[in-house]
Amino acid sequence: MSSPLYCAWWEVPLSSGATSSSVTAGAAVPAVTPGEPGAPGPAGGGPSPRSFGALGLVLSGCVSVQFGGAVAVSLMPRAGVLGIVALRLVLAAVVLLVACRPALRGHSRADWGTVLVFGAVMAAMNSLFYEAVDRIPLGAGVTLEVLGPLSLSVIASRRLINVLWAACALAGVFLLSGLLGGGAGGLDPVGIAFGLGAALMWATYILFSARTGRRFPQADGLALAMGVGAVLALPLGVAESGAKLLVPSTVGLAFGVAVLSSALPYTFELLALRRLPAATFSVLMSLEPAIAATAGFLILGQAVTVLDAVAIALVIGASVGAVLTQFRTLGRG
């Protein structure tokens, strides 16, 4: 699963009057000009020690998210897929609501409507993703999920070069499906369908995260939407798992998942976005399928074949190419 904070480089051209600064989920990021931290173009004078520190923060956030996802997969036999989704969202919502203390008054119906849809999308995205990785390897699940933002980037850019990136990503998914034999060797079709559903929800999540960020200050919108997602997911989790959700060891480990997959990466990435060009941030986020495959191997014992590695590399390459194409387009605009 990807982190709760996203640099929506793929959304910028879709909004009239949008700046080329990054847009985070539920967080209002001020506009920046080239040369400032967070600008899409490289700052003059080369990388600074602060930039290298920010690189470490982004990579740490990616590692935290994917290893948190691996721990979540290991918990599914204890409390079921929907049970783990419910625990993660409830505990993450508690952490964010306590940390952000968002105001409940002073918001319009349109504001609340955005938060409600955002929360519903968040619950669906988590549920579909965890259903996917319950059936297919973690690296494959994250690779499929990345197709969501990648598709948005291709659609938003409208440049011919993005046809190449789309073809590259499709080739990676084709290899990953195991239709050629070897590789993933026949991924569960239902798992693939859930993974593609999660990709669609991630693309929707990106659009509503940007919309929420424009309506709410700081991370207030994200915290409120996480609360909505938790309320929607909890009845499903209780129906599937019942009293298993109250086992102290399961709750404790689920709290660790919530921290690893929400609180830590959110903090790391928020700090990094103040120092890094948005393009650099996005390229680093594109590495998540490889990090997920590593986490799956180390924690879950999920082997990665040569063909799997090639498939993941193709999707990562497509994502990185789309990122760089997008920001070069913005730089000329």
Side-chain angles (χ1 to χ4, degrees):
M1 187 68 204
S2 297
S3 67
L5 179 65
Y6 300 101
C7 174
W9 43 270
W10 38 77
E11 194 272 343
V12 172
L14 300 177
S15 301
S16 59
T19 70
S20 55
S21 65
S22 59
V23 181
T24 60
V29 180
V32 291
T33 55
E36 290 182 341
S48 66
R50 285 168 58 86
S51 295
F52 285 117
L55 290 174
L57 286 172
V58 175
L59 290 174
S60 296
C62 290
V63 170
S64 180
V65 166
Q66 300 310 333
F67 276 79
V71 174
V73 173
S74 71
L75 284 176
M76 288 176 186
R78 294 191 184 194
V81 176
L82 296 179
I84 293 303
V85 170
L87 281 176
R88 181 202 161 173
L89 290 178
V90 168
L91 294 170
V94 170
V95 171
L96 285 174
L97 289 170
V98 170
C100 299
R101 298 180 183 178
L104 298 179
R105 296 182 179 180
H107 304 301
S108 67
R109 287 187 178 181
D111 293 340
W112 283 111
T114 299
V115 161
L116 289 173
V117 175
F118 189 24
V121 169
M122 191 181 301
M125 179 178 68
N126 278 273
S127 298
L128 289 167
F129 177 77
Y130 282 134
E131 290 284 3
V133 297
D134 187 45
R135 295 168 171 83
I136 62 178
L138 182 62
V142 174
T143 301
L144 291 171
E145 191 189 30
V146 163
L147 295 179
L150 177 58
S151 298
L152 271 186
S153 176
V154 170
I155 293 169
S157 178
R158 301 185 184 91
R159 296 195 66 196
L160 187 59
I161 185 66
N162 274 306
V163 176
L164 172 63
W165 305 134
C168 186
L170 288 174
V173 173
F174 182 75
L175 289 177
L176 201 61
S177 69
L179 293 177
L180 293 179
L187 288 180
D188 185 337
V190 177
I192 292 176
F194 277 125
L196 293 175
L200 177 61
M201 286 298 101
W202 192 7
T204 307
Y205 176 103
I206 289 163
L207 299 177
F208 275 91
S209 72
R211 198 174 295 180
T212 303
R214 289 191 291 268
R215 290 180 175 273
F216 292 85
Q218 303 304 320
D220 288 10
L222 175 65
L224 291 171
M226 189 75 78
V228 171
V231 169
L232 293 175
L234 187 58
L236 298 176
V238 171
E240 180 182 74
S241 305
K244 294 178 181 178
L245 298 181
L246 300 178
V247 176
S249 60
T250 300
V251 174
L253 289 170
F255 180 77
V257 171
V259 171
L260 286 172
S261 297
S262 298
L264 283 181
Y266 177 83
T267 303
F268 290 161
E269 292 163 11
L270 188 63
L271 292 173
L273 276 168
R274 297 173 181 171
R275 308 176 189 177
L276 276 184
T280 304
F281 180 92
S282 299
V283 167
L284 291 172
M285 294 292 284
S286 299
L287 300 176
E288 287 204 344
I291 298 172
T294 302
F297 174 73
L298 293 177
I299 294 182
L300 304 172
Q302 296 174 343
V304 179
T305 69
V306 173
L307 201 57
D308 296 339
V310 170
I312 291 172
L314 283 170
V315 175
I316 290 175
S319 185
V320 170
V323 168
L324 298 179
T325 299
Q326 187 83 332
F327 276 94
R328 283 170 186 157
T329 302
L330 288 171
R332 296 191 190 102

